[in-house]
Amino acid sequence: MEQVPFLNLGRQYQQIREDVKREWDDVLAKTAFAGGPFVTRFEEAFAHYCQAKYAAGVNTGTSALHLAMLALGIGPGDEVIVPGNTFVATAWGVSYCGATPVFVDCDEYYNLDPRAAEAAITPKTRAIAGVHLYGQPCRLDELKEIASRHQIHLIEDAAQAHGALFKDQRVGSIGDISAFSFYPGKNLGAYGEGGGITTNRKEWIDHIYRLRNHGSEERYYHDEVGYNMRMDGLQATVLEIKLRHLDNWNDGRREVAKTYLEGIDNSLITLPKVLPDTVPVWHLFVVTTPHRDRLMKHLQSRGVQSALHYPVPCHLQKAYASLGYSKGDLPKSEALASTCVSLPMFAELTLEERSRVVDAVNSYKG
Ligand SMILES: Cc1ncc(COP(=O)(O)O)c(C=O)c1O
């Protein structure tokens, strides 16, 4: 029996193969490899798409978070509020600046709970990092109101949510500054590594352009200690090609999600909920069930691949043991980590594959 893949990037490639070959040939002929005009072109298109004034392309989403936080002036002695339930790179950005991540619990939508975030604010807090996990926008209006009342920054980690809408506005244009990942499996993914930053503040984006380029505006003159975090021309080109298809592909993911939401009917399975007034982009479709290993085994026996996002919440990662968190500190994030299962999710899943997923989940008996 053919497996229903968790993700198949090859099917998407077939749709853009000729464009990629032709446009990559242009990059190669012009030898515009590191930074350069193809990156600028993508930055303009991406800023426009996100309804933000400015965008910067960088080498990874992790660098995007790091540089965004540096541009806000976050440094040693500062605290940044981060959800316990996220990919750990949200916290890496804070740690790389020498600041301390303060982990808080999630809400019923699996995203940062604004009340928990506000309760964690101390005189050292400089920012809240709201993550749009699984492609679902977090509660940006409440987080923005809290941030502005406490005169701290709101950072959006939109690594999993390219194109998602919060009250008719694109994520990446609502917080003070936003970070995106273009890791290959993301909704907008490169053919290598990539990341991006969007903001409406010119001084921050100019600082990021310098920081990513060895702290330099003029070649061999370095105004500050910088990094080599430039995006490369080949990645910028494939991202620009893919950006033209992103809304269609996100529509395809929403169709898959609709099939699952309408078709899955099993009292052992809890389906994800969508925050009102948002349009998610379903980077992942995460269900929960008490004995998730049994569900994963059952799915495997029916030829359906599944995955975990994420089995260990950030506050319980070994890397952060020195911060002194223990089991029970973030009960909702911990419960999610032990009950979550991600079902196959990408726009090119066939109708037959989608119904095989639904049938497999519905025939699970615990
Ligand atoms: C929520 C979140 N933040 C940050 C990152 C880091 O991005 P990258 O892998 O491009 O460094 C990722 C993805 O890997 C992510 O899912």
Side-chain angles (χ1 to χ4, degrees):
M1 183 177 29
E2 269 289 300
Q3 295 256 315
V4 181
F6 181 73
L7 176 65
N8 179 325
L9 292 174
R11 296 183 195 176
Q12 191 189 65
Y13 178 55
Q14 293 313 320
Q15 303 166 49
I16 56 171
R17 190 175 182 164
E18 292 313 313
D19 289 343
V20 173
K21 280 184 171 168
R22 190 183 58 252
E23 297 193 33
W24 271 16
D25 188 53
D26 193 28
V27 179
L28 297 174
K30 291 186 172 124
T31 65
F33 300 126
F38 294 95
V39 174
T40 307
R41 208 168 76 180
F42 168 66
E43 287 170 342
E44 284 167 6
F46 192 63
H48 179 76
Y49 178 83
C50 293
Q51 302 170 338
K53 276 195 188 152
Y54 310 107
V58 293
N59 59 341
T60 65
T62 306
S63 299
L65 284 157
H66 182 190
L67 294 182
M69 292 187 199
L70 285 176
L72 296 180
I74 291 166
D78 295 336
E79 292 176 354
V80 177
I81 292 169
V82 174
N85 177 42
T86 180
F87 180 63
V88 72
T90 317
W92 291 158
V94 182
S95 300
Y96 295 164
C97 294
T100 305
V102 174
F103 296 111
V104 305
D105 219 348
C106 58
D107 61 13
E108 65 208 279
Y109 306 99
Y110 307 144
N111 273 326
L112 188 64
D113 179 344
R115 273 167 311 171
E118 182 157 28
I121 292 174
T122 74
K124 293 180 180 169
T125 308
R126 293 290 308 279
I128 299 174
V131 182
H132 310 305
L133 205 68
Y134 312 146
Q136 304 261 9
C138 64
R139 285 148 71 181
L140 281 169
D141 48 0
E142 289 161 77
L143 291 172
K144 204 171 168 173
E145 188 276 320
I146 292 166
S148 88
R149 194 152 34 79
H150 290 269
Q151 296 184 303
I152 59 177
H153 293 297
L154 176 61
I155 300 160
E156 291 180 60
D157 180 341
Q160 302 191 359
H162 322 70
L165 294 171
F166 182 88
K167 298 195 171 163
D168 295 328
Q169 207 178 328
R170 290 258 192 239
V171 303
S173 66
I174 298 167
D176 293 304
I177 196 161
S178 305
F180 290 84
S181 164
F182 304 125
Y183 181 76
K186 296 293 196 266
N187 292 43
L188 181 62
Y191 286 169
E193 302 274 356
I197 297 142
T198 52
T199 183
N200 290 331
R201 280 279 280 273
K202 181 141 181 19
E203 79 220 60
W204 291 340
I205 210 77
D206 284 342
H207 193 186
I208 287 167
Y209 291 151
R210 261 197 324 273
L211 282 171
R212 74 174 174 189
N213 189 34
H214 296 288
S216 167
E217 269 170 35
E218 193 183 341
R219 204 163 200 193
Y220 303 128
Y221 292 84
H222 306 277
D223 303 338
E224 61 186 311
V225 175
Y227 303 83
N228 178 358
M229 292 180 172
R230 292 176 297 244
M231 176 174 272
D232 73 67
L234 292 170
Q235 301 313 329
T237 303
V238 80
L239 288 167
E240 205 206 332
I241 293 168
K242 283 188 166 198
L243 188 58
R244 301 171 206 152
H245 299 266
L246 181 60
D247 285 339
N248 265 340
W249 289 334
N250 282 340
D251 281 344
R253 288 173 180 268
R254 282 189 282 266
E255 282 298 315
V256 176
K258 192 163 172 256
T259 315
Y260 291 170
L261 289 169
E262 288 174 359
I264 295 175
D265 182 12
N266 183 331
S267 59
L268 297 170
I269 307 292
T270 304
L271 292 166
K273 292 207 289 186
V274 174
L275 181 69
D277 282 335
T278 65
V279 181
V281 291
W282 298 103
H283 175 59
L284 296 166
F285 192 96
V286 177
V287 300
T288 62
T289 190
H291 302 285
R292 66 112 174 280
D293 292 349
R294 292 187 207 161
L295 174 63
M296 290 181 88
K297 247 189 170 159
H298 172 78
L299 293 175
Q300 199 181 20
S301 76
R302 305 280 301 242
V304 172
Q305 295 181 351
S306 60
L308 294 183
H309 301 88
Y310 297 91
V312 182
C314 294
H315 68 293
L316 299 180
Q317 294 287 354
K318 257 194 211 157
Y320 284 121
S322 63
L323 296 180
Y325 290 93
S326 39
K327 258 196 173 158
D329 286 343
L330 305 182
K332 289 182 189 153
S333 304
E334 291 165 33
L336 179 65
S338 59
T339 58
C340 62
V341 176
S342 307
L343 301 181
M345 173 51 80
F346 55 101
E348 298 78 17
L349 273 168
T350 65
L351 293 179
E352 192 246 326
E353 286 170 330
R354 296 171 201 195
S355 28
R356 273 183 60 198
V357 176
V358 171
D359 292 345
V361 176
N362 285 344
S363 62
Y364 171 64
K365 297 205 166 53

